[in-house]
Amino acid sequence: MSTRTLALDDRSYDYLLATSLRESEVLRDLREETSRLPMSRMQISPEQGQFMALLAELIGAKRVLEVGTFTGYSALAVAQVLPPDGSLVACDVSREWTDIGRRHWQRAGVAERIDLRLAPAVETLTALVEQGAKGSFDLAFIDADKGNYDLYYELCLRLLRPGGLVLVDNALWGGDVADPDNHEPDTLAIRALNAKLGRDERVSISLVPIGDGVLMARKR
Ligand code: CA
């Protein structure tokens, strides 16, 4: 028993996956293909994908924003549980990576629901705000360049409806945010956003130690 969050050893983690992971064949294939890329560490864990899909179902998400799509695993995990008229705006700058995702989105039959915008996400999000999309999204997932995290958060918050949810990935950053001697730019950016959300009265929050840490913020 434990009164604090367990650090999972390999045996417990394997048990967690073996018992609870419901990963579709397409998701598994996409994860395996991505794991062979040099940048494979940028992919979220399968249990995190399942957690995000469950959150999307819980809040009845129809309109989703994703900042940082990479090879499309999280987009696929969430798009699979959206209603037929649901949509996910996926922001990324890499055609090479998102092409891998696109193939799998098509195979899974959800490509129509995913609106890929190949441009800097700040441009895409700002354009959405200017086009009057404020308050129209249910869920946002931020998992891109850490230096822009604060800007992404502020833009996503404007685009979310009250009761909508922002998920910020890599909130624990491999433990580096807790190391006072670590002053890497990415660490500083994540640490600053964590600290800001810790006292941001516009949202209710929980920092969930799944994957590399997901900071959840529900817009009030
Ligand atoms: Ca990430």
Side-chain angles (χ1 to χ4, degrees), residues 61-96:
K62 268 191 167 181
R63 301 237 309 148
V64 181
L65 272 173
E66 180 172 80
V67 182
T69 292
F70 189 41
T71 60
Y73 187 91
S74 47
L76 177 54
V78 171
Q80 281 183 338
V81 301
L82 293 180
D85 60 339
S87 65
L88 184 151
V89 175
C91 306
D92 207 286
V93 289
S94 170
R95 181 175 296 278
E96 184 190 348

Side-chain angles (χ1 to χ4, degrees), residues 94-181:
S94 170
R95 181 175 296 278
E96 184 190 348
W97 291 338
T98 53
D99 272 353
I100 298 173
R102 246 204 271 248
R103 261 194 287 119
H104 292 82
W105 300 340
Q106 268 154 16
R107 215 183 114 203
V110 299
E112 308 261 285
R113 290 180 207 162
I114 301 177
D115 176 5
L116 176 64
R117 311 275 179 102
L118 280 176
V122 170
E123 286 176 19
T124 301
L125 298 175
T126 303
L128 284 168
V129 169
E130 284 166 359
Q131 288 155 13
K134 268 184 284 183
S136 69
F137 286 86
D138 305 299
L139 177 66
F141 179 49
I142 300 173
D143 188 15
D145 49 309
K146 310 311 174 198
N148 275 323
Y149 256 30
D150 187 65
L151 196 47
Y152 295 146
Y153 171 69
E154 289 298 332
L155 285 164
C156 285
L157 203 58
R158 293 174 73 183
L159 288 163
L160 284 185
R161 62 164 165 92
L165 189 64
V166 191
L167 306 174
V168 184
D169 199 40
N170 303 106
L172 293 173
W173 202 226
D176 286 355
V177 285
D179 174 2
D181 296 326

Side-chain angles (χ1 to χ4, degrees), residues 164-211:
L165 189 64
V166 191
L167 306 174
V168 184
D169 199 40
N170 303 106
L172 293 173
W173 202 226
D176 286 355
V177 285
D179 174 2
D181 296 326
N182 189 309
H183 303 291
E184 294 289 325
D186 287 350
T187 308
L188 294 179
I190 296 170
R191 191 185 285 143
L193 185 60
N194 287 344
K196 172 173 156 172
L197 265 66
R199 52 178 193 276
D200 188 341
E201 293 294 331
R202 298 171 295 174
V203 291
S204 310
I205 64 161
S206 179
L207 202 173
V208 181
I210 188 170

Side-chain angles (χ1 to χ4, degrees), residues 22-36:
R22 302 182 183 185
E23 190 179 43
S24 67
E25 195 185 328
V26 188
L27 274 172
R28 192 183 61 237
D29 289 349
L30 174 54
R31 183 161 58 84
E32 284 171 4
E33 183 171 339
T34 305
S35 72
R36 295 191 287 273

